[in-house]
Amino acid sequence: MSYLDRMQHIKVGLHSSHTDLTAVPGTLLSVEMLDGADILPREHERIERNLARGDNQEYPAILGIRGLDDLAIPTYLRGIATNDGATLDAQTESEIGLLLDSLMGASTDKGGSATAITGDTGASGIITVTSGASLLDGGGVLFEDGGGSKVAREIASGGGTGTLTLDRDHTDGAPGADNVPYGSCYWTMAPATHEHTPLFIRGMFHGSERSYFGCFGDATIEIREKQPVRLVSRWRPNNWTDTVVGSTFAAPTAGDYIMGINCRLNVKSAGFDGALLVKSATLNFGYTMQVRETLSGANGQAGWIVTRKAPTIECM
């Protein structure tokens, strides 16, 4: 990344709905950008005029629509800032919460108070808790086993009750001294949802500031051995305007970096359910988007619609 590129940074917010393409969200959060980021200014398209005056002087070009090239935002995946087993908020406690909310829909956040594990049948992948009201199916749960190791599992069924069936067993005995089950925030890619809530992106660079409205995105998650996990997202804006420079940079609120070490990749699909021994993996969201063209919209369009979702996982 060049010196000038390092002078650019962004803040993002979530529009109120898929039809909101103009309002500046009330909450804007900073996102850490990496090499390959591209939010530099776009220009208006120029419509050349093929007429010439009798004195051989050409007419000036007409300014067309604003350039709407994709914006690239690569960033690291980081965990939740704090987790004491109680309420979590993915938007304010995770740097990428707003990005994923736009890409996949609002997260399912853990609510309620901390609870405790009261029993365990590890061989059957079952734990019992004092209250499972805030531990829901599809969410993750982290707890300490009898050997003092941390066990991470997905809640397969029983969410919301006092008996939770996990996606697989564990064999190191009943929970240890720290018997709090730590829940998670999670996102679900809904195939039937075609109208996503767009992202607002404010880019600041080289003494100038530009606001991009109605950004619809696609993304990949890159997992590499011994490296931080990366979320590489690409956004198609609906419009942009230049604004007075007044924003300040603030370090994002997030937890530790997620690393490609001492971890496992679990895949569950028809005919396969287990862990893969790999050194790298890439999850492609695989979105196909279609612009909504209209004479009444800014730049002749009114956002985008996701016409197809074809996620893939590539492993080595």
Side-chain angles (χ1 to χ4, degrees):
M1 181 179 286
S2 69
Y3 173 74
L4 287 178
D5 286 340
R6 291 181 184 278
M7 294 174 64
Q8 65 180 356
H9 66 277
I10 63 170
K11 289 186 176 181
V12 301
L14 202 63
H15 286 292
S16 61
S17 70
H18 73 275
T19 59
D20 175 12
L21 305 172
T22 58
V24 177
T27 300
L28 300 180
L29 302 177
S30 297
V31 174
E32 177 184 1
M33 294 194 302
L34 310 176
D35 287 352
D38 183 11
I39 59 166
L40 295 176
R42 274 75 175 141
E43 303 299 332
H44 282 81
E45 292 185 6
R46 294 170 55 87
I47 302 174
E48 299 296 340
R49 300 164 69 185
N50 59 3
L51 301 176
R53 298 194 327 210
D55 58 4
N56 206 35
Q57 182 173 340
E58 294 184 355
Y59 289 100
I62 301 172
L63 285 181
I65 67 170
R66 290 177 169 89
L68 300 176
D69 295 341
D70 287 1
L71 310 174
I73 303 178
T75 189
Y76 289 130
L77 277 182
R78 298 171 66 179
I80 295 293
T82 57
N83 188 347
D84 59 2
T87 300
L88 298 176
D89 186 339
Q91 287 194 2
T92 59
E93 297 183 274
S94 170
E95 181 184 12
I96 61 167
L98 289 170
L99 301 179
L100 292 178
D101 279 359
S102 180
L103 287 165
M104 290 194 286
S107 65
T108 300
D109 294 343
K110 182 187 179 302
S113 304
T115 184
I117 297 178
T118 57
D120 172 271
T121 309
S124 301
I126 295 175
I127 59 174
T128 56
V129 295
T130 54
S131 172
S134 60
L135 297 168
L136 305 179
D137 290 353
V141 63
L142 178 75
F143 57 93
E144 183 181 275
D145 65 20
S149 299
K150 298 298 183 184
V151 178
R153 296 290 187 268
E154 178 187 349
I155 301 173
S157 62
T161 73
T163 301
L164 307 178
T165 299
L166 309 180
D167 64 324
R168 60 190 189 279
D169 62 7
H170 69 95
T171 57
D172 289 332
D178 181 4
N179 66 344
V180 175
Y182 297 91
S184 70
C185 303
Y186 65 95
W187 289 261
T188 302
M189 185 181 292
T193 301
H194 304 286
E195 297 175 327
H196 291 200
T197 302
L199 195 71
F200 170 86
I201 301 173
R202 174 165 291 167
M204 291 152 276
F205 34 78
H206 315 336
S208 61
E209 185 171 291
R210 179 163 287 179
S211 295
Y212 298 95
F213 296 86
C215 300
F216 292 77
D218 189 13
T220 59
I221 295 177
E222 300 175 350
I223 307 170
R224 303 290 183 265
E225 59 174 335
K226 307 174 186 177
Q227 300 295 321
V229 178
R230 296 177 11 130
L231 172 69
V232 181
S233 55
R234 296 162 297 280
W235 302 88
R236 297 178 179 178
N238 190 68
N239 196 17
W240 53 259
T241 60
D242 291 319
T243 54
V244 176
V245 177
S247 298
T248 57
F249 174 78
T253 300
D256 293 337
Y257 294 93
I258 300 174
M259 299 290 294
I261 54 175
N262 195 26
C263 60
R264 56 187 286 167
L265 178 66
N266 279 22
V267 176
K268 180 180 292 187
S269 64
F272 181 82
D273 181 4
L276 299 176
L277 184 62
V278 300
K279 67 176 183 179
S280 68
T282 301
L283 169 61
N284 301 294
F285 284 39
Y287 290 173
T288 300
M289 292 189 289
Q290 176 65 48
V291 65
R292 284 174 160 164
E293 297 179 335
T294 174
L295 290 174
S296 61
N299 302 298
Q301 64 183 58
W304 302 76
I305 185 169
V306 180
T307 59
R308 185 168 185 258
K309 299 178 181 179
T312 60
I313 299 177
E314 302 174 5
C315 301
M316 292 182 58

